[in-house]
Amino acid sequence: MKAGRFAWAGASLAAVAFLVVMAVSGALPQQRQLVKFEAKGLMSQAPERITRVEIDKAGKTVAFVRSGGNWLREGGGPLPQAAADKLSMAVQVMHTSGPVRVMAPEEYRGTDPREFGLAPPQLSIRLYEGNAPALHAAFGNLNPEKFLQYMAVEGRPQLYLMSLFVGEFWAAVAEGAGK
C-alpha cells in the first residue's frame, strides 16, 4: 500500500515540477496537430493597410477612406458601425479567402468575357494602400452550379472561381454602406 502512495506522490511531484519549469521558462508545449493559419487570398497586403476602397456597381461608384481606424464615406461622415464592420470584413476576405479554382488563360481562350459576366462586370472593387493600388477585382456571373462566382483581377491573366460569399460581402457593402 505504501508503494502506491509513493507512486502517486512521485507523479504529483513530477507534475508540479513540470508546471514550475513551464512557468519559469514561459514555453508552451508545441501542438503539432494544429495547422498554422496562412492567408491565401488574392490580396497580399494586410487588411488593416488598406486605406481606400472604391466599389462600382451598375455604373454607380461609392468610395470609402479609412481615417484613424474608422471608415468614412469619401467626402462624407463616418459609416454606421454595422456598415463599417461589413466593409472591414469584405477587405479581410480578399486577404484570407483564396480561389476555389484558378483558370489558366488557355482554359477560357476564345470565350467571350460576357459569358462569365465580366464585360461589363456586375461589380468591381478597387483597394488602395495609401495612393498605391493594392487590388482591382471584377466580379461576374455565378458558375452553372450557382455556388461559385467568376472573378478577374486586373494585371493577372487568370480567371478565378471564388466562393459565392466573397462577392456577396462586396454586394452587401455596395448596397448598404453607400446609402
Side-chain angles (χ1 to χ4, degrees), residues 2-35:
K2 284 189 175 190
R5 281 188 185 169
F6 286 124
W8 280 109
S12 297
L13 283 173
V16 169
F18 176 75
L19 290 174
V20 169
V21 169
M22 294 301 293
V24 170
S25 71
L28 294 173
Q30 185 72 1
Q31 299 292 323
R32 293 187 184 156
Q33 76 272 19
L34 299 178
V35 177

Side-chain angles (χ1 to χ4, degrees), residues 147-161:
F147 63 91
L148 299 175
Q149 186 172 19
Y150 293 103
M151 187 177 87
V153 175
E154 186 175 272
R156 300 181 194 176
Q158 300 88 353
L159 190 60
Y160 302 95
L161 279 162

Side-chain angles (χ1 to χ4, degrees), residues 43-113:
M43 180 181 75
S44 60
Q45 290 85 347
E48 58 274 4
R49 295 184 66 168
I50 300 301
T51 57
R52 179 178 167 78
V53 173
E54 296 173 0
I55 305 171
D56 185 13
K57 184 174 183 188
K60 295 182 182 177
T61 301
V62 61
F64 306 97
V65 292
R66 191 188 314 243
S67 176
N70 298 318
W71 286 107
L72 312 166
R73 283 183 191 89
E74 188 173 61
L79 290 176
Q81 190 60 47
D85 290 346
K86 275 184 192 175
L87 178 55
S88 291
M89 184 58 73
V91 171
Q92 183 175 337
V93 162
M94 297 310 292
H95 177 69
T96 57
S97 298
V100 174
R101 181 167 180 246
V102 179
M103 294 174 62
E106 303 80 47
E107 293 182 75
Y108 64 89
R109 187 174 288 129
T111 305
D112 188 344

Side-chain angles (χ1 to χ4, degrees), residues 159-171:
L159 190 60
Y160 302 95
L161 279 162
M162 302 295 290
S163 293
L164 184 58
F165 73 89
V166 176
E168 287 176 344
F169 265 115
W170 287 105

